[in-house]
Amino acid sequence: WDLIGEIARRRGLPVVEDAAQGLGATWRGKPAGTLGDLSVLSFGRGKGWTGGSGGAVMARNGWGSRLPGSLPPNPGSRWVEGGKAAAVWLLARPALYGVPARVPSLGLGETHYRAPTAPAAISPFAAALALATREASVAQVRARRERAAVLRRAVSESGAGVALPLPASGGESGELRVPLLVPAEPRERRKAGFYASYPRPLPELAEVQPLTAGSLPFPGASRLARELVSAPTHTRAGRGVEGALRQLLGEHRPAR
């Protein structure tokens, strides 16, 4: 992070920080969302701090003058947005994760390219919901860390040979989910909240390939698409997560 910032400053470029899923994360004591010249937040579903939709951009170090002074209003329908937010709250239980996944039009678990669209202001409903849930979302971070510690300890003590990515030295994760690298995708454990990565890395998408022409291969992206699995840490995940994790570790424990 420090090297990126140094290079950007020498060239007069802003550092854009994607903190969409960074609630509770820190780097050298500074919260995610406070590090970049431009920091992007998201209040969409599954982001740890939600308003149901919408997001925010924060500017520092004089870069705010480069942003639009105002955005087109987004009145939205509080009934429609309230219904979506209620559905997200209800479906946050792992036992119901498979319900939206069975709706083909949602495209969950697929890799899609979405062309950029012009920004609009956050809707009043989403802004109000984000403000109302902030304290509860921050309080949830402590519970997530406690649950993540249990899952991480089980992995490290299992001897199963499953790779467990950890935060860089000087950083702390908000533990939105616990990531694991395993040879096979445990899709049958979806009811316990385990999810595999997007099945195709971004460099393979036709819309992205013109931007990467002549670049080196992306072996890390390909590996994540094959092996990345994450487990939920929120308080409604239940004990099924720990049972599914033990089963997963047992399957990958080397034979003696």
Side-chain angles (χ1 to χ4, degrees):
W1 177 265
D2 296 335
L3 179 59
I4 290 173
E6 179 183 342
I7 294 172
R9 282 191 295 273
R10 282 204 304 262
R11 289 163 172 74
L13 301 173
V15 176
V16 181
E17 176 193 12
D18 177 3
Q21 294 179 312
L23 179 68
T26 64
W27 173 247
R28 295 186 178 177
K30 296 181 179 180
T34 68
L35 302 170
D37 298 307
L38 299 171
S39 298
V40 183
L41 305 180
S42 173
F43 304 129
R45 61 179 179 82
K47 296 300 192 294
W49 176 16
T50 185
S53 63
V57 178
M58 297 185 292
R60 303 176 186 85
N61 304 324
W63 288 99
S65 61
R66 310 286 186 96
L67 298 178
S70 62
L71 293 173
N74 181 9
S77 167
R78 56 180 163 180
W79 296 108
V80 172
E81 295 199 16
K84 290 181 179 178
V88 169
W89 176 82
L90 177 65
L91 296 172
R93 296 161 174 79
L96 300 177
Y97 279 5
V99 175
R102 295 190 187 97
V103 181
S105 61
L106 295 179
L108 299 182
E110 301 172 3
T111 312
H112 292 285
Y113 174 84
R114 291 184 173 84
T117 57
I122 189 172
S123 72
F125 179 91
L129 184 58
L131 290 172
T133 58
R134 182 182 181 280
E135 290 187 10
S137 300
V138 171
Q140 182 79 196
V141 172
R142 176 179 294 181
R144 288 183 185 275
R145 286 181 174 151
E146 291 175 354
R147 294 180 65 83
V150 172
L151 298 179
R152 289 179 181 276
R153 187 161 54 248
V155 175
S156 62
E157 295 174 353
S158 69
V162 174
L164 181 63
L166 298 171
S169 176
E172 186 175 24
S173 172
E175 303 291 10
L176 190 62
R177 296 181 70 86
V178 169
L180 308 170
L181 291 172
V182 293
E185 299 177 349
R187 293 187 181 276
E188 69 276 8
R189 296 178 184 82
R190 182 168 287 177
K191 288 184 178 180
F194 280 70
Y195 262 80
S197 175
Y198 289 106
R200 295 178 61 198
L202 294 180
E204 291 185 4
L205 299 181
E207 298 90 344
V208 178
Q209 287 178 348
L211 303 176
T212 62
S215 299
L216 296 173
F218 296 87
S222 299
R223 184 187 181 192
L224 292 180
R226 292 193 312 268
E227 301 181 14
L228 180 63
V229 173
S230 62
T233 56
H234 60 78
T235 51
R236 283 186 284 169
R239 293 191 172 275
V241 176
E242 297 173 31
L245 179 61
R246 285 194 294 270
Q247 182 181 353
L248 174 65
L249 297 175
E251 291 173 5
H252 291 278
R253 186 174 291 112
R256 294 183 179 178

